[in-house]
């Protein structure tokens, strides 16, 4: 299955759309020069094209399997993981003290997207480790950092995140896993966790689990939850894997897609664990990892969208079917509806990619400056990046199937795998509905100030674009006005259910406006070029969707609850 890493697109975004220059102007990221950035993009792209992409079908056709308590990974995954680890791609954003490169999350996000597009099932392993690295850097004791971080950064060990239980999904506070204090300062962790990505495997020397559990006597709900580091093998005095811990794999989930990624049901039987952060501080520590993962998952959606687009484009350029009444290649790419699908795919990929990179840039600026406004910007963009990125992955993969016609329904073409693999991204790390609810509630606790500042910036850029791209600039400017009015209405609603009823359309409207903003910037930088053409398509045909979405967002909740549960069943 072919994949071509979009290195040129990232270079264009960094040079003309995402303010990477601001990052390089900080002391924290001064070393991330244009030359360094380009060299990293090229090297990572080469690895994705030549090493990871050939593994995409292997994972689907020969899934990970559980044999005698040991998870065996798909053919070739060992070499693919070795290439990721040896290249230093896991620890790109990690501190130099831990053996990382201390590079911007913006650049890490670009590399993660390329790995996701090449082989999403395998990319999940380093993504989980990256989240654990960040959580340990912020919350773990010096002793834990010294023991675990270098090995996680190097890829010698891998990390996981254990939240969900059979009775406790998004309602994490309902968990029953317990952690009994031991005389040596450790804890005996007992319980079962489900949906654990890369919960076990044969690629690395140890698997390190971050596990949410409750210490006896702790209050009910999320406030009583603590976080523990529970390794598969307990490190010995030299920091090497020692005796086997009380951790086992009950089973592997039989999934719709992502067959190469082992998703485990994990059992903890008085397993030795170490507290990460303070007692009852588990949610704060885990959210450090989850916020990292939410951006990463949004990026996964964009990566799969890129791969699905390339796959569909190759087919459209080759498949001869019907007549279009116009001169052309004689293939289905000459059909107007196929063109509509392909350019929609391309335009939405650009928008979703730009949103994800802008979110990463805000995270980097917050890290470099400690500016609360950058922190608020990163928080605001995270749910949008996650939800719109994954929804784009799903939509583009579905359009890719449609471009293939009947052949898209045949597994041998590989088109269906993109849809099956990416579908879960809208569910894990907080469903997209939860992301939208977070956006309209928690992220609006400032009265909409962060959102308003962002809208002000977009409107200022649209004003500046009126001299070069007047029609597109006017459309973006007016869309911002509509978005501003809807945001003012939203923050005036005291009843949260009123906000929640329209949360998903509000998030998508915001994403549409952001997409128009980034496309307009691209059009200004590529006057008369391909990107201006794509921007015009997006702004004329896709941006107007924001108006109907906002009408939906402001419709309230009454009609959603007008029918009783019994009436819904009729």
């Amino acid at each position: 299955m072919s994949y071509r890493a979009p290195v040129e697109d990232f270079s264009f975004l960094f040079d003309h759309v995402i303010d990477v220059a601001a990052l390089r102007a900080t002391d924290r990221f001064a070393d991330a020069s244009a030359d360094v950035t380009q060299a990293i993009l090229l090297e990572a792209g080469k690895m994705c094209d030549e090493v990871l992409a050939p593994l995409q079908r292997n994972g689907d056709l020969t899934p990970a399997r559980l044999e005698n308590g040991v998870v065996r990974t798909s053919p070739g995954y060992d070499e693919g993981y070795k290439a990721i680890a040896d290249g230093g791609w896991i620890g790109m954003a990690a501190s130099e003290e831990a053996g990382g490169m201390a590079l911007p999350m913006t650049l890490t996000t670009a590399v993660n997207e390329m790995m996701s597009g090449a082989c999403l099932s395998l990319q999940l392993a380093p993504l989980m480790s990256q989240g654990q690295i960040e959580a340990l850097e912020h919350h773990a004791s010096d002793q834990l950092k010294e023991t675990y971080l270098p090995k996680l950064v190097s890829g010698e060990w891998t990390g996981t995140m254990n939240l969900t239980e059979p009775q406790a999904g998004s309602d994490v506070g309902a968990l029953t896993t317990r952690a009994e204090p031991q005389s040596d300062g450790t804890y005996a962790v007992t319980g079962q966790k489900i949906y654990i990505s890369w919960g076990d495997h044969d690629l690395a020397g140890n698997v390190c689990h971050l596990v949410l559990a409750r210490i006896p006597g702790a209050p009910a709900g999320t406030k009583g939850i603590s976080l523990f580091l529970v390794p598969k093998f307990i490190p010995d005095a030299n920091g090497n894997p020692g005796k086997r811990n009380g951790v086992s794999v009950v089973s592997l989930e039989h999934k719709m897609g992502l067959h190469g990624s082992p998703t485990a049901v994990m059992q903890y039987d008085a397993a030795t664990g170490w507290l990460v952060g303070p007692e009852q501080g588990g949610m704060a520590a885990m959210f450090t990892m989850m916020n990292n993962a939410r951006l990463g998952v949004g990026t996964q959606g964009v990566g799969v969208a890129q791969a699905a687009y390339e796959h569909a484009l190759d087919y459209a350029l080759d498949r001869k079917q019907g007549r279009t009444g116009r001169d052309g290649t004689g293939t289905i790419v000459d059909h107007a509806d196929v063109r509509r699908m392909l350019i929609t795919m391309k335009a939405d990929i650009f928008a979703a990619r730009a949103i994800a990179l802008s979110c990463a840039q805000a995270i980097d600026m917050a890290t470099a400056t400690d500016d609360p406004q950058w922190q608020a910007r990163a928080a605001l963009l995270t749910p949008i990046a996650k939800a719109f990125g994954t929804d784009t992955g799903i939509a583009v993969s579905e359009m890719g199937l449609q471009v293939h016609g009947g052949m898209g329904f045949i597994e041998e073409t590989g088109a269906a795998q993109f849809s099956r693999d990416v579908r879960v991204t809208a569910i894990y790390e907080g469903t997209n509905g939860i992301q939208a609810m977070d956006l309209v509630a928690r992220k609006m606790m400032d009265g909409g100030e962060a959102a308003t500042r962002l809208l002000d910036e977009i409107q200022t850029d649209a004003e500046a674009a009126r001299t070069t791209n007047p029609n597109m600039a006017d459309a973006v400017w007016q869309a911002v006005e509509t978005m501003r009015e809807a945001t003012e209405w939203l923050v005036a609603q005291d009843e949260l259910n009123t906000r929640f009823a329209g949360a998903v359309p509000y998030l998508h409207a915001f994403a549409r406006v952001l997409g128009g903003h980034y496309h307009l910037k691209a059009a200004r930088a590529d006057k008369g070029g391909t990107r201006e053409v794509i921007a015009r398509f997006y702004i004329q045909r896709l941006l107007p969707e924001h108006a109907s979405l906002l009408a939906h967002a402001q419709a309230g909740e009454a009609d959603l609850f007008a029918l009783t549960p019994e009436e819904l069943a009729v």
Side-chain angles (χ1 to χ4, degrees):
M1 187 175 293
S2 62
Y3 172 76
R4 300 174 297 278
V7 171
E8 184 180 345
D9 288 344
F10 284 115
S11 298
F12 177 86
L13 281 160
F14 288 163
D15 290 343
H16 303 290
V17 179
I18 309 302
D19 193 4
V20 175
L23 291 180
R24 294 170 181 152
T26 67
D27 292 337
R28 177 70 172 78
F29 298 115
D31 292 337
S33 65
D35 290 343
V36 168
T37 298
Q38 187 65 13
I40 287 174
L41 290 175
L42 288 170
E43 191 63 27
K46 181 180 179 182
M47 176 193 67
C48 291
D49 292 352
E50 298 177 2
V51 181
L52 302 188
L55 303 176
Q56 168 81 344
R57 289 298 281 164
N58 289 1
D60 195 51
L61 299 175
T62 311
R65 64 195 187 281
L66 181 61
E67 291 183 349
N68 300 319
V70 178
V71 176
R72 305 297 182 189
T73 48
S74 302
Y77 271 36
D78 53 349
E79 290 302 315
Y81 180 76
K82 186 176 186 299
I84 295 170
D86 289 352
W89 306 117
I90 299 172
M92 287 181 64
S95 65
E96 292 177 343
E97 292 79 9
M101 298 190 226
L103 288 167
M105 180 58 68
T106 309
L107 188 52
T108 300
T109 298
V111 173
N112 281 346
E113 191 213 293
M114 290 189 284
M115 290 196 292
S116 300
C119 185
L120 180 59
S121 287
L122 181 55
Q123 189 270 343
L124 263 170
L127 181 69
M128 293 294 95
S129 292
Q130 288 172 349
Q132 186 169 122
I133 288 166
E134 185 171 9
L136 294 180
E137 282 189 324
H138 283 85
H139 301 286
S141 67
D142 289 342
Q143 182 179 0
L144 287 180
K145 290 179 185 178
E146 183 179 345
T147 301
Y148 287 89
L149 282 178
K151 289 182 169 59
L152 288 166
V153 167
S154 69
E156 186 177 345
W157 296 355
T158 64
T160 74
M161 177 168 56
N162 288 238
L163 289 78
T164 307
E165 299 180 8
Q167 79 295 338
S170 298
D171 182 15
V172 178
L175 65 80
T176 60
T177 299
R178 66 184 187 277
E180 301 276 353
Q182 304 298 295
S183 59
D184 62 356
T186 65
Y187 293 77
V189 178
T190 300
Q192 188 176 98
K193 298 288 184 176
I194 63 174
Y195 304 153
I196 310 307
S197 298
W198 285 90
D200 192 62
H201 55 84
D202 54 4
L203 300 184
N206 206 353
V207 184
C208 310
H209 304 282
L210 280 180
V211 183
L212 288 179
R214 199 182 310 277
I215 298 170
T222 56
K223 292 182 178 180
I225 294 175
S226 300
L227 181 65
F228 301 88
L229 180 58
V230 186
K232 177 180 178 180
F233 296 103
I234 298 174
D236 61 20
N238 296 316
N240 298 315
K243 70 175 184 177
R244 180 67 185 256
N245 206 350
V247 180
S248 60
V249 180
V250 176
S251 63
L252 296 183
E253 305 287 3
H254 299 282
K255 300 176 295 185
M256 174 181 175
L258 288 180
H259 295 151
S261 169
T263 302
V265 176
M266 301 298 302
Q267 182 67 38
Y268 296 89
D269 295 306
T272 300
W274 285 262
L275 185 68
V276 176
E279 290 188 2
Q280 302 176 35
M283 290 306 294
M286 185 59 84
F287 265 109
T288 299
M289 185 174 186
M290 286 186 67
N291 284 330
N292 176 298
R294 284 170 174 171
L295 172 59
V297 170
T299 299
Q300 288 179 335
V302 184
V304 175
Q306 178 68 34
Y309 167 73
E310 292 178 6
H311 201 66
L313 177 62
D314 288 347
Y315 184 81
L317 291 171
D318 182 68
R319 172 67 166 163
K320 293 184 178 181
Q321 181 78 16
R323 296 182 178 179
T324 66
R326 58 177 292 169
D327 293 333
T329 65
T331 63
I332 63 171
V333 77
D334 292 330
H335 290 272
D337 190 56
V338 173
R339 284 292 183 100
R340 175 193 63 80
M341 288 188 284
L342 290 171
I343 196 168
T344 297
M345 295 160 82
K346 194 171 181 65
D348 263 347
I349 289 169
F350 180 91
R353 178 177 289 140
I355 290 171
L357 291 175
S358 292
C359 180
Q361 189 256 7
I363 292 171
D364 287 330
M365 291 301 295
T367 299
T369 65
D370 287 326
D371 187 337
Q373 291 194 6
W374 279 116
Q375 294 168 357
R377 173 69 55 85
L380 178 76
L381 289 176
T382 294
I384 302 174
K386 194 276 183 182
F388 187 69
T390 56
D391 283 344
T392 296
I394 292 168
V396 168
S397 297
E398 286 293 315
M399 277 187 275
L401 278 170
Q402 195 71 14
V403 169
H404 280 77
M407 292 304 295
F409 203 64
I410 305 302
E411 284 289 351
E412 283 78 1
T413 64
Q417 183 183 346
F418 297 117
S419 286
R420 291 188 286 101
D421 284 353
V422 79
R423 186 60 186 84
V424 73
T425 61
I427 298 171
Y428 60 29
E429 305 308 336
T431 67
N432 286 359
I434 288 174
Q435 303 303 317
M437 291 164 68
D438 176 53
L439 175 65
V440 301
R442 186 181 301 273
K443 302 305 164 56
M444 295 293 170
M445 288 175 65
D446 62 353
E449 287 185 14
T452 299
R453 280 195 298 270
L454 180 54
L455 294 174
D456 287 345
E457 290 179 22
I458 297 173
Q459 209 156 37
T460 298
D461 280 355
E463 288 279 4
R466 278 181 162 145
T467 57
T468 56
N469 303 88
N471 293 335
M472 286 191 277
D474 286 344
V476 172
W477 192 94
Q478 188 55 55
V480 172
E481 278 297 288
T482 309
M483 195 75 218
R484 189 191 305 278
E485 292 169 3
T487 302
E488 291 171 353
W489 175 88
L490 182 77
V491 297
Q493 306 308 307
D494 294 329
E495 176 55 55
L496 279 181
N497 226 32
T498 302
R499 298 189 189 191
F500 291 160
V504 168
Y506 177 84
L507 183 148
H508 273 269
F510 215 133
R512 276 281 171 248
V513 173
L514 287 169
H517 168 55
Y518 299 127
H519 271 292
L520 182 57
K521 294 184 76 169
R524 294 181 69 192
D526 191 30
K527 188 68 177 172
T530 301
R531 290 179 175 86
E532 185 182 31
V533 174
I534 296 169
R536 185 175 299 111
F537 174 90
Y538 182 96
I539 291 171
Q540 287 182 349
R541 296 176 183 247
L542 302 182
L543 177 60
E545 292 176 2
H546 82 280
S548 59
L549 287 166
L550 291 176
H552 186 173
Q554 296 173 82
E557 80 280 8
D559 56 344
L560 300 184
F561 295 91
L563 297 179
T564 66
E566 291 76 18
E567 289 171 325
L568 286 171
V570 174

